[in-house]
Amino acid sequence: MEPEVQPQRYGLTEDDFERMLVEQDYACAMCSEPFSDAEVIYIDHDHNCCPDEKSSCGRCVRGLLNRRCNIAVGYIERYDELARVYLGKAKTPLPRRSEGLRVVAS
């Protein structure tokens, strides 16, 4: 198992990285899916503390993630408010096409 970048860029030592793997049972901190031997592991950190994508101070490291969860967290961090506004405006789901919804161009 390899980190996506050197742990030192995130303020971690190799021992810190290994300790986090053990504490997380060698699984993603978000979905708990075990890391495979060849899988790239992403070091997640709070971008409000350290906005650089590929480094941090070390104090804001949140956990080790797989690629899917790292991407998901990135989208949530960037678009959370936008999604909340949209979901707050969305009243009821539209009927599905099979339920007779027809789109007519105007």
Side-chain angles (χ1 to χ4, degrees):
M1 289 176 232
E2 292 296 321
E4 183 240 348
V5 296
Q6 299 87 14
Q8 298 83 355
R9 292 188 64 186
Y10 288 87
L12 302 174
T13 65
E14 293 289 335
D15 288 341
D16 293 333
F17 181 80
E18 183 62 33
R19 178 186 45 76
M20 290 177 74
L21 276 174
V22 170
E23 288 174 358
Q24 292 180 207
D25 293 325
Y26 295 88
C28 175
M30 187 166 157
C31 71
S32 301
E33 188 173 309
F35 294 122
S36 69
D37 288 337
E39 186 169 6
V40 174
I41 298 172
Y42 294 82
I43 300 170
D44 178 47
H45 72 283
D46 184 352
H47 293 259
N48 290 320
C49 178
C50 298
D52 187 0
E53 293 286 323
K54 300 285 185 197
S55 68
S56 84
C57 63
R59 294 183 307 275
C60 61
V61 170
R62 296 183 286 211
L64 306 176
L65 303 176
N66 61 27
R67 183 176 189 275
R68 180 187 63 208
C69 290
N70 188 57
I71 290 169
V73 166
Y75 277 110
I76 291 166
E77 284 182 326
R78 287 178 188 89
Y79 304 113
D80 173 65
E81 189 57 34
L82 183 62
R84 287 180 188 279
V85 169
Y86 165 74
L87 292 172
K89 290 191 285 186
K91 303 287 187 234
T92 57
L94 292 173
R96 295 178 182 225
R97 190 169 199 158
S98 63
E99 295 171 353
L101 176 66
R102 288 185 28 209
V103 177
V104 179
S106 55

